[in-house]
Amino acid sequence: MVAVDSLTPDEWTFWDQWMRAQERIVRELGRSLQLEHGITKAEFSILVTLHAAAGPLRVTDLADALGWDKSRVAHQLTRMQRGGHLHLTSAGTSQRRRSVALSDTGRQIAERAIHSHGSHIRSLVLDDLAPEQTTAIRSWSRATLAKLPGQANPGDKG
Amino acid sequence: MVAVDSLTPDEWTFWDQWMRAQERIVRELGRSLQLEHGITKAEFSILVTLHAAAGPLRVTDLADALGWDKSRVAHQLTRMQRGGHLHLTSAGTSQRRRSVALSDTGRQIAERAIHSHGSHIRSLVLDDLAPEQTTAIRSWSRATLAKLPGQANPGDKG
DNA sequence: CAAGATTGAGGATTCAATCTTC
DNA sequence: GAAGATTGAATCCTCAATCTTG
């Protein structure tokens, strides 16, 4: 006799529905980004972070701003390199990137995408949230970010 | 002069923190599954769905139960085939699967994983939720699932 | 033909290992 | 050597195209 469940059926349903709702929203937003701007969700994240930055960023700073690990950023930059939305400065003969910034077209795409993505977030999500729901989710998000460590990069103390 | 933002800074922060919190929880739960049971989140989803089923499922029914599209399920089954957690019956000479069920070891892993995964969900999430937060999130999830169509499989009426 | 199912290609993510530079 | 950055392999996910079978 082993207790298989550590959650009640009601708790499982709660969790399952929450995760499914989340995934559908994310999928839907990703599809819109692709359809309307030809970019993926990951590309959008890079573009919007660079758009918000004062100037060019090093890979590490980009990673910190995004909460991603460096290898994820490096792979993403590699894929985006041929898209022309980025301006990458590299070091001499090697493939090592020194800084990343938006190109002119990158900036244009970023601004258009930010605008329409925001609209979709509003109509898919924000418009349906009552003030108490917003409050509840906001406090959960903050508590969770405080509770779970950010993406541990190899060099981090720990 | 173009309005770049359709959301206020506060709204962006709200959304950004929500998504980051979500991703960290999911990542953390995935890591535990891998560490403790040697399975991924996707594998867990398949195992738990088959465990809940009365008997063997066809690919389409598995996909419907999961809210995944069939190709996603097919790829996942292909990867899991060599793991020995599944019992697959196929049709004569072809690679076409007729039904999917848990093997004995699959059932054992599923039961253990359900138990510990539930514990992690409780300690990472449920324990920190006040009743009002649970209520708010539950109603958001339901509304969202009702609002967004499930994964459209090619054959679905539209 | 249509419903059931698989395949291939391309981007995304993670982990561990390695390269580069100071 | 340590900090900055890339690489390779394995899994995952989506879309479009194709195969299989009733």
Side-chain angles (χ1 to χ4, degrees), chain A residues 42-65:
Chain A
E43 289 174 324
F44 177 78
S45 296
I46 297 282
L47 295 180
V48 73
T49 302
L50 292 172
H51 187 261
L57 292 180
R58 293 180 309 164
V59 171
T60 291
D61 297 331
L62 191 46
D64 288 348

Side-chain angles (χ1 to χ4, degrees), chain A residues 25-129:
Chain A
I25 287 287
V26 167
R27 199 178 295 151
E28 193 57 31
L29 288 171
R31 272 202 261 263
S32 299
L33 238 23
Q34 186 65 60
L35 264 172
E36 296 167 16
H37 306 282
I39 61 177
T40 64
K41 170 173 150 286
E43 289 174 324
F44 177 78
S45 296
I46 297 282
L47 295 180
V48 73
T49 302
L50 292 172
H51 187 261
L57 292 180
R58 293 180 309 164
V59 171
T60 291
D61 297 331
L62 191 46
D64 288 348
L66 285 160
W68 292 8
D69 88 8
K70 280 183 302 202
S71 97
R72 184 176 170 187
V73 174
H75 280 304
Q76 191 59 46
L77 293 177
T78 298
R79 283 188 301 265
M80 289 178 76
Q81 211 151 15
R82 47 181 185 283
H85 299 342
L86 300 182
H87 190 299
L88 302 157
T89 73
S90 44
T93 64
S94 87
Q95 298 308 311
R96 201 170 191 242
R97 289 162 188 119
R98 259 184 196 309
S99 75
V100 191
L102 291 181
S103 67
D104 284 347
T105 73
R107 181 163 298 276
Q108 283 175 20
I109 301 231
E111 290 177 359
R112 288 188 202 128
I114 288 167
H115 182 74
S116 84
H117 193 58
S119 303
H120 289 304
I121 291 169
R122 183 180 296 296
S123 65
L124 280 175
V125 184
L126 304 184
D127 277 351
D128 295 331
L129 290 178

